[in-house]
Amino acid sequence: MPNRLVEQAQEVAKEDIDKYKALLNDAARSRSYLYPIKGIFYFMSHRELWKPLASKLVPYLGLYASVMGPMFFFTYLPQLAIMVFVNGPLAVLTTILLVLNESAAVVSILSKSFLLQDALLDTFDGTLIAKNKTEIVANGREVNSRGDAIQKLGKALKKPFSKFSVKELVRYFMYLPLNFIPVVGTVAFIVIRGRARGNSVHDRYFQLKGWSASRKSEWLSKHKGPYTGRLRKSWIHEAQIASRAHMSAKLSTCDTLTYHAQFEALVWLTMTDVTSFGTAATLLEMVPVASIVFSFTNTVGAALWAADIEGKDTEMTKATAPELREAAKKVE
């Protein structure tokens, strides 16, 4: 019986590895994880895109200071008492980093809802205009004929960015304790935040395209790898079966191989999430103080990605073309 369980565990682990490799390939081919980096360089090389950020920098720093002070005063010592048991002498440093990240999260939610909304909208639309996608921007705002990419932006007719969400704030602090688990917990926290970030990265693009909620959902479902990474409940169940089989069998050479196979499957799963846009953007926006700059560069990166999709210049859209031709043949 134990041997049968071990064989089942090895088979499940092998199947999972193959699935995760396919997902990683899907995400890697799209190169979506590169767009936050592209956004940084594009932002640096196009000075006109600095204007929305410059107009909000002083108010943002004031908001950051007003949040960070109370956060350190009220939350540092209680969290330090917990972190001492987890990180020992390093707790002093890790707790400082934790409070900084918490402050950055609160500031990010508040600023994007009340302070940076219009500036980020201008940055996204301005980047599309800079990439010669003026016609699509015109679907959501007035566009002037003169000036640089930002000066051409007229009155916005549509605004997709959502206002303050209590649920988002609660969700952040609900998953925050994961950071108390060394390494694994932090990775899980970033991946979860990355998925939420990835689902909303192209809200403005979908709105400019005039897509319905169902069409948007269909697109995101089809391209989960590039946007958010993928994790299906059935795979979690399979991993649990393999784990139980491993725990119930005596430790042997065969069991050890099974364990390593399971570990490799988890590595591939993690890599699938790391290669998504949402995770890459989340990592950048977790940098204290500099998070405002990365919020703008990530917006530029999202717009560059949208421009490439619009120009059929990504692996995602290239892969769709043969499918459309096949569908046309069936109609004929």
Side-chain angles (χ1 to χ4, degrees), residues 72 75-103 172 176 179-183 186 286 288:
F72 267 99
T75 70
Y76 178 76
L77 290 179
Q79 292 185 98
L80 177 62
I82 298 175
M83 295 297 284
V84 166
F85 293 101
V86 179
N87 295 328
L90 295 176
V92 175
L93 177 60
T94 56
T95 305
I96 291 176
L97 295 176
L98 183 60
V99 175
L100 285 173
N101 282 327
E102 291 167 352
S103 301
Y172 176 87
L176 190 63
N179 287 283
F180 294 141
I181 305 173
V183 184
T186 302
M286 286 180 68

Side-chain angles (χ1 to χ4, degrees), residues 124-145:
F124 190 94
D125 291 353
T127 303
L128 286 177
I129 289 179
K131 295 292 290 183
N132 298 317
K133 302 299 179 185
T134 304
E135 67 284 352
I136 189 173
V137 176
N139 293 333
R141 74 187 307 158
E142 297 174 356
V143 179
N144 303 317
S145 58

Side-chain angles (χ1 to χ4, degrees), residues 204-250:
R204 175 59 170 173
Y205 175 58
F206 298 143
Q207 185 187 52
L208 292 174
K209 294 286 288 182
W211 283 9
S212 64
S214 59
R215 186 173 182 183
K216 170 187 171 183
S217 178
E218 181 182 356
W219 173 268
L220 291 175
S221 178
K222 187 175 181 180
H223 301 290
K224 281 184 180 178
Y227 281 97
T228 64
R230 302 185 189 182
L231 179 58
R232 297 181 182 176
K233 292 182 179 179
S234 61
W235 298 352
I236 298 176
H237 178 63
E238 292 171 358
Q240 289 173 338
I241 292 175
S243 178
R244 285 196 296 268
H246 172 67
M247 294 301 294
S248 64
K250 293 181 179 179

Side-chain angles (χ1 to χ4, degrees), residues 1-7 245 248-250 255:
M1 185 66 178
N3 289 335
R4 184 178 179 181
L5 289 173
V6 170
E7 290 176 0
S248 64
K250 293 181 179 179
D255 295 333

